[in-house]
């Protein structure tokens, strides 16, 4: 089986990355991770990648004078690794229009809300504070506007009376792991 070659962009702990690593370990999963790229050298997700024998790269955005220059470097590294598709998994940088156009429909993101509700940072707390009864997560194609783009998979969780913002975020994160694996599979077999 020819597997889709995927680069995963991270900035932190990488539990979504781990879910993708675990799924990709299956012989019948249609994708493989060939690169994990972080803008932070201390992102724990890099350890997860190394443990799984996946190549890693750190590109510190602070070393570049503009967003475009940082994105050009990422593009260069991703291309030379041979990636055909990109998953953003807790990557905390906005991408330039140039990068988004270059990877149009080959670049997906996960966001911890039922988009189009609660875009931006701390989406889980935004949902909790708004008092919604149902929260969740979304995997979507990336467009130039933040947290916009065609939706691939959404999963919801019930907000219970005894939930706190933190317990809700933890429930959403569990669903994220399922949603991301499902979205990547759906993309590959479409
Ligand atoms: C997730 O909640 C994701 O939706 C958001 O950042 C968090 C990353 O978590 N964009 P992890 O690094 O995958 O554990």
């Amino acid at each position: 089986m020819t597997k889709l070659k995927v680069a995963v962009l991270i900035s932190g702990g990488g539990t979504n990355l781990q879910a993708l690593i675990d799924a990709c370990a299956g012989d019948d999963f249609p994708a493989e991770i060939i690169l994990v790229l972080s803008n932070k050298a201390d992102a724990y997700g890099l350890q997860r990648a190394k443990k799984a024998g996946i190549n890693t790269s750190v590109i510190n955005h602070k070393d570049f004078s503009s967003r475009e220059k940082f994105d050009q470097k990422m593009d260069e590294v991703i291309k030379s690794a041979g990636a055909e598709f990109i998953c953003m998994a807790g990557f905390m940088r906005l991408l330039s229009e140039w990068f988004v156009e270059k990877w149009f429909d080959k670049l997906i993101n996960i966001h911890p809300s039922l988009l189009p509700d609660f875009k931006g940072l701390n989406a889980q707390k935004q949902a909790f504070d708004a008092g919604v009864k149902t929260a969740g997560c979304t995997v979507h194609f990336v467009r130039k506007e933040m947290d916009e783009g065609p939706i691939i998979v959404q999963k919801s969780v019930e907000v219970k009376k005894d939930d706190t913002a933190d317990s809700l975020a933890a429930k959403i994160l569990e669903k994220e792991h399922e949603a991301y694996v499902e979205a990547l599979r759906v993309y590959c077999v479409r």
Side-chain angles (χ1 to χ4, degrees), residues 78-97:
I78 292 167
K79 278 268 164 61
S80 61
E84 306 161 295
F85 193 79
I86 302 174
C87 293
M88 295 168 71
F91 183 67
M92 302 307 281
R93 300 294 303 164
L94 289 176
L95 295 167
S96 62
E97 199 173 335

Side-chain angles (χ1 to χ4, degrees), residues 82-176:
E84 306 161 295
F85 193 79
I86 302 174
C87 293
M88 295 168 71
F91 183 67
M92 302 307 281
R93 300 294 303 164
L94 289 176
L95 295 167
S96 62
E97 199 173 335
W98 175 83
F99 190 93
V100 172
E101 288 302 318
K102 194 128 200 230
W103 289 92
F104 197 83
D105 280 354
K106 295 194 164 80
L107 171 62
I108 66 176
N109 180 45
I110 186 150
H111 182 75
S113 81
L114 294 172
L115 290 172
D117 290 342
F118 310 120
K119 294 176 182 174
L121 290 175
N122 302 317
Q124 307 95 325
K125 185 161 188 312
Q126 290 184 50
F128 183 79
D129 290 346
V132 295
K133 295 277 172 276
T134 306
C137 61
T138 306
V139 183
H140 64 97
F141 287 103
V142 175
R143 296 293 183 258
K144 64 181 190 320
E145 298 81 14
M146 185 182 63
D147 300 330
E148 289 275 347
I151 288 169
I152 307 166
V153 171
Q154 284 189 308
K155 288 202 180 281
S156 59
V157 300
E158 197 187 331
V159 186
K160 299 257 175 66
K161 277 203 188 71
D162 59 353
D163 266 321
T164 61
D166 285 348
S167 70
L168 178 61
K171 286 201 292 195
I172 293 173
L173 189 60
E174 264 181 51
K175 286 286 174 194
E176 289 186 42

Side-chain angles (χ1 to χ4, degrees), residues 18-91:
Q18 188 66 57
L20 293 173
I21 289 173
D22 294 346
C24 287
D27 286 342
D28 60 348
F29 196 78
E32 63 178 324
I33 302 171
I34 52 127
L35 175 71
V36 171
L37 194 161
S38 174
N39 65 315
K40 301 217 159 162
D42 62 353
Y44 182 67
L46 291 168
Q47 305 307 318
R48 297 179 187 273
K50 283 177 190 155
K51 203 169 160 201
I54 300 167
N55 286 333
T56 61
S57 176
V58 176
I59 305 175
N60 186 345
H61 57 280
K62 291 181 183 155
D63 292 342
F64 297 83
S65 57
S66 70
R67 193 179 296 284
E68 281 74 17
K69 284 189 178 137
F70 169 65
D71 286 2
Q72 277 163 13
K73 182 66 185 175
M74 284 207 302
D75 179 62
E76 201 183 297
V77 170
I78 292 167
K79 278 268 164 61
S80 61
E84 306 161 295
F85 193 79
I86 302 174
C87 293
M88 295 168 71
F91 183 67

